[in-house]
Amino acid sequence: MRREMAIRGTHDGVMKVLTGAVAPAGAPRVLDIGAGAGALSEKLLAAGYSVGACDFVPEQFDVPGVACEKCDETGRLPFADGAFDAAVAVEVLEHVDGHERFFAEAARVLKPGGRLLFTTPNILSLKSRMRFLLTGFFYSFGPLAPGRRDPVRQHISPFTLNRYEWLLSLHGLRIVRVATDKRQPTSLGLAFLAPLIWLSVRLGFGRNESARKQNAPAALFGRKLVVVAEKTGAGA
């Protein structure tokens, strides 16, 4: 069994959400973006999916029967248009600068109706909001050293769910589900703030659906955001 490069248990949570969004019957083709050593690709194969993979460092990938192509910092995915039924990107987007290119490429390699699933640290949690209030840095994001560029280790893009939703929409991708891998005890301990937050959202934004998603329980209490988007065919 290959070592997960994400926090332990993340891949099991991803598989649960993915099998609900794209059933493995018929061996749909799934692209593992940022595949690492191949721990998730291995799980995808075992579940019955047909798997493609890519990574900045494909040499570390080792799953028999699956080829791992090299991605580079231009964001171009080395696959044909409409090649996949689904794509997964686990703990990738926080390392990426240039999300429009990423989502444009993800949409390009998906078939119409295909699904993109991604996870990212949840900066909307109550724990993260309190951390930002006290330190100026969100959960899972810290000071960036000037002049240092390390796309594998650095977390450089603390985006909210609303920003993801907007970027996805520009490239013909529509959010169909928002989940979380687990609820944070620290955030649950701050749950007494939730009614005040919901009242403030209602007073400030009325019944705006994006504002509601941004402050729903998965966002307020979850450790990671697990987002599923569908390719609608519209967009840039």
Side-chain angles (χ1 to χ4, degrees):
M1 186 68 67
R2 282 149 188 82
R3 179 179 64 87
E4 290 188 31
M5 299 182 76
I7 293 175
R8 185 176 180 181
T10 298
H11 288 174
D12 289 336
V14 165
M15 290 300 300
K16 183 177 180 180
V17 175
L18 180 65
T19 54
V22 182
R29 187 156 172 75
V30 178
L31 174 60
D32 186 0
I33 304 173
L40 181 58
S41 289
E42 196 171 50
K43 288 180 182 291
L44 290 166
L45 275 178
Y49 296 100
S50 174
V51 181
C54 60
D55 197 87
F56 279 127
V57 189
E59 296 81 11
Q60 67 185 328
F61 186 89
D62 180 26
V63 177
V66 179
C68 186
E69 305 294 338
K70 181 174 177 58
C71 299
D72 58 37
E73 291 190 28
T74 68
R76 178 77 178 177
L77 295 176
F79 303 99
D81 296 2
F84 295 94
D85 299 287
V88 293
V90 175
E91 304 304 279
V92 170
L93 287 167
E94 61 272 18
H95 300 272
V96 172
D97 187 20
H99 287 65
E100 284 215 49
R101 178 67 165 172
F102 179 92
F103 288 134
E105 281 292 284
R108 180 184 65 79
V109 302
L110 286 173
K111 297 175 182 178
R115 298 286 176 91
L116 169 66
L117 184 155
F118 66 87
T119 75
T120 192
N122 178 20
I123 67 167
L124 295 171
S125 71
L126 291 174
K127 172 182 179 177
S128 179
R129 297 181 195 206
M130 187 61 68
R131 187 174 188 260
F132 185 83
L133 175 66
L134 296 175
T135 70
F137 293 96
F138 293 109
Y139 163 71
S140 198
F141 291 83
L144 294 171
R148 182 187 172 206
R149 178 73 171 173
D150 184 351
V152 174
R153 296 177 180 82
Q154 286 175 317
H155 287 191
I156 63 173
S157 297
F159 285 179
T160 64
L161 182 59
N162 179 243
R163 182 167 173 83
Y164 280 124
E165 182 178 35
W166 174 71
L167 285 169
L168 287 161
S169 72
L170 297 180
H171 300 286
L173 294 161
R174 176 179 63 89
I175 291 179
V176 294
R177 185 179 178 193
V178 178
T180 185
D181 66 325
K182 65 174 291 185
R183 295 197 170 193
Q184 292 174 317
T186 313
S187 291
L188 290 171
L190 296 167
F192 64 91
L193 294 171
L196 177 61
I197 290 170
W198 293 329
L199 177 61
S200 299
V201 170
R202 175 60 66 87
L203 292 175
F205 303 104
R207 296 184 179 275
N208 183 279
E209 182 64 15
S210 293
R212 186 197 64 77
K213 289 178 185 174
Q214 183 107 328
N215 294 281
L220 292 183
F221 306 122
R223 180 176 64 175
K224 296 180 186 296
L225 290 177
V226 183
V227 179
V228 180
E230 181 178 72
K231 180 176 178 178
T232 64

